[in-house]
Coordinates of all heavy atoms in Angstrom, one line a residue:
I705 N 93.2 -8.0 56.4 CA 92.8 -9.3 55.8 C 92.4 -10.2 57.0 O 93.3 -10.6 57.8 CB 93.7 -10.0 55.0 CG1 94.2 -9.2 53.7 CG2 93.5 -11.4 54.5 CD1 93.1 -9.1 52.7
M706 N 91.2 -10.6 57.1 CA 90.9 -11.3 58.3 C 90.7 -12.8 58.0 O 90.8 -13.7 58.9 CB 89.3 -11.0 58.7 CG 89.2 -9.5 59.2 SD 90.1 -9.2 60.7 CE 91.3 -8.2 60.2
E707 N 90.4 -13.2 56.7 CA 90.2 -14.5 56.4 C 90.5 -14.9 54.8 O 90.7 -13.8 54.2 CB 88.7 -15.0 56.7 CG 88.6 -16.3 57.2 CD 88.3 -17.3 55.9 OE1 88.0 -16.8 54.9 OE2 88.5 -18.6 56.1
T708 N 90.5 -16.0 54.4 CA 91.0 -16.5 53.0 C 89.9 -15.7 52.2 O 90.3 -15.2 51.1 CB 90.8 -17.8 52.9 OG1 91.8 -18.6 53.7 CG2 91.0 -18.4 51.5
G709 N 88.7 -15.6 52.5 CA 87.6 -14.9 51.6 C 88.0 -13.6 51.2 O 87.7 -13.2 50.1
Y710 N 88.6 -12.8 52.1 CA 89.1 -11.4 51.8 C 90.1 -11.4 50.7 O 89.9 -10.7 49.7 CB 89.8 -10.8 53.0 CG 88.9 -10.3 54.1 CD1 87.7 -11.1 54.5 CD2 89.1 -9.0 54.6 CE1 86.9 -10.6 55.4 CE2 88.2 -8.5 55.6 CZ 87.1 -9.4 56.0 OH 86.2 -8.9 57.0
L711 N 91.0 -12.3 50.7 CA 92.1 -12.5 49.7 C 91.6 -13.0 48.4 O 91.9 -12.6 47.3 CB 93.2 -13.4 50.2 CG 94.6 -13.3 49.5 CD1 95.2 -12.0 49.7 CD2 95.5 -14.4 50.0
Q712 N 90.5 -13.9 48.5 CA 90.0 -14.4 47.2 C 89.4 -13.3 46.4 O 89.4 -13.3 45.1 CB 88.9 -15.3 47.6 CG 89.4 -16.8 47.9 CD 88.3 -17.7 48.2 OE1 87.6 -17.6 49.1 NE2 88.2 -18.8 47.4
K713 N 88.8 -12.3 47.0 CA 88.2 -11.2 46.3 C 89.2 -10.4 45.4 O 88.9 -9.8 44.5 CB 87.5 -10.3 47.2 CG 86.2 -10.9 48.0 CD 85.4 -9.9 48.7 CE 84.3 -10.7 49.5 NZ 83.2 -11.0 48.5
F714 N 90.4 -10.3 46.0 CA 91.5 -9.5 45.3 C 92.1 -10.3 44.2 O 92.6 -9.9 43.3 CB 92.6 -9.2 46.2 CG 92.2 -8.0 47.1 CD1 91.8 -8.2 48.4 CD2 92.3 -6.7 46.7 CE1 91.3 -7.1 49.3 CE2 91.8 -5.6 47.6 CZ 91.4 -5.9 48.8
L715 N 92.1 -11.7 44.3 CA 92.6 -12.6 43.2 C 91.5 -12.9 42.1 O 91.9 -13.4 41.1 CB 93.0 -13.9 43.9 CG 94.1 -13.7 44.9 CD1 94.5 -15.1 45.6 CD2 95.4 -13.0 44.3
Q716 N 90.2 -12.6 42.4 CA 89.2 -13.0 41.5 C 89.0 -11.9 40.4 O 89.3 -10.7 40.6 CB 87.9 -13.0 42.3 CG 86.7 -13.4 41.4 CD 86.4 -14.9 41.5 OE1 87.1 -15.5 42.2 NE2 85.2 -15.2 40.9
Q717 N 88.8 -12.5 39.3 CA 88.5 -11.5 38.1 C 87.2 -10.7 38.4 O 86.3 -11.2 38.9 CB 88.2 -12.2 36.8 CG 89.5 -12.7 36.1 CD 89.2 -13.4 34.6 OE1 88.1 -13.4 34.3 NE2 90.3 -13.8 34.1
K718 N 87.2 -9.4 37.9 CA 86.0 -8.6 38.1 C 84.9 -9.2 37.3 O 85.1 -9.7 36.1 CB 86.3 -7.2 37.8 CG 87.2 -6.4 38.8 CD 87.4 -5.1 38.4 CE 88.3 -4.3 39.4 NZ 88.5 -2.9 39.1
F719 N 83.6 -9.0 37.7 CA 82.4 -9.4 37.0 C 82.4 -10.9 36.4 O 82.0 -11.1 35.3 CB 82.2 -8.5 35.8 CG 82.4 -6.9 36.1 CD1 83.4 -6.3 35.6 CD2 81.5 -6.5 37.0 CE1 83.5 -4.9 36.0 CE2 81.5 -5.1 37.4 CZ 82.6 -4.4 36.9
S720 N 83.0 -11.7 37.3 CA 82.9 -13.1 36.8 C 81.9 -14.0 37.6 O 81.6 -13.6 38.7 CB 84.3 -13.7 37.2 OG 84.2 -15.2 37.0
L721 N 81.1 -14.8 36.9 CA 80.1 -15.5 37.5 C 80.5 -16.6 38.4 O 79.8 -17.1 39.2 CB 79.1 -16.2 36.4 CG 78.4 -15.2 35.5 CD1 77.6 -15.9 34.4 CD2 77.6 -14.2 36.3
F722 N 81.8 -17.0 38.1 CA 82.4 -18.3 38.8 C 83.6 -18.1 39.6 O 84.4 -17.2 39.2 CB 82.6 -19.6 37.9 CG 81.3 -19.7 36.9 CD1 81.1 -19.3 35.8 CD2 80.3 -20.5 37.4 CE1 80.1 -19.6 35.0 CE2 79.2 -20.9 36.8 CZ 79.0 -20.3 35.4
P723 N 83.8 -18.7 40.7 CA 85.1 -18.5 41.4 C 86.3 -19.0 40.7 O 86.2 -20.1 40.1 CB 84.8 -19.3 42.8 CG 83.8 -20.3 42.4 CD 82.8 -19.8 41.3
Q724 N 87.3 -18.3 40.6 CA 88.6 -18.9 39.9 C 89.7 -19.3 40.9 O 90.8 -19.7 40.6 CB 89.2 -17.8 39.2 CG 88.5 -17.4 37.8 CD 87.8 -16.2 37.9 OE1 88.2 -15.1 38.2 NE2 86.4 -16.2 37.4
T725 N 89.3 -19.3 42.2 CA 90.1 -19.8 43.2 C 89.4 -21.0 43.9 O 88.3 -20.8 44.2 CB 90.7 -18.8 44.3 OG1 89.5 -18.1 44.8 CG2 91.4 -17.6 43.5
G726 N 90.2 -22.0 44.3 CA 89.6 -23.0 45.0 C 90.0 -23.0 46.5 O 90.9 -22.3 46.9
I727 N 89.3 -23.7 47.4 CA 89.8 -23.7 48.8 C 89.9 -25.2 49.2 O 89.3 -26.1 48.5 CB 88.6 -23.2 49.8 CG1 87.3 -24.0 49.5 CG2 88.5 -21.7 49.5 CD1 86.1 -23.5 50.6
V728 N 90.9 -25.5 50.0 CA 91.2 -26.9 50.5 C 91.2 -26.9 51.9 O 91.6 -26.0 52.6 CB 92.7 -27.3 49.9 CG1 92.5 -27.6 48.5 CG2 93.7 -26.2 50.2
E729 N 90.6 -28.0 52.5 CA 90.5 -28.2 53.9 C 91.4 -29.2 54.5 O 91.9 -29.1 55.6 CB 89.1 -28.4 54.3 CG 88.9 -28.4 55.8 CD 87.5 -28.8 56.2 OE1 86.7 -29.5 55.4 OE2 87.0 -28.4 57.3
R730 N 91.8 -30.1 53.5 CA 92.6 -31.3 53.8 C 94.1 -31.1 53.3 O 94.2 -30.7 52.3 CB 92.0 -32.6 53.5 CG 90.7 -32.8 54.0 CD 90.4 -34.2 54.0 NE 90.8 -35.0 52.8 CZ 90.1 -35.2 51.8 NH1 88.8 -34.8 51.7 NH2 90.5 -35.8 50.6

Side-chain angles (χ1 to χ4, degrees):
I705 294 290
M706 297 292 114
E707 212 271 344
T708 295
Y710 281 48
L711 197 64
Q712 281 181 298
K713 292 182 183 296
F714 288 98
L715 299 177
Q716 183 93 355
Q717 278 185 10
K718 291 183 178 179
F719 311 115
S720 176
L721 296 179
F722 305 100
Q724 283 106 51
T725 59
I727 57 173
V728 285
E729 191 181 19
R730 304 201 319 265

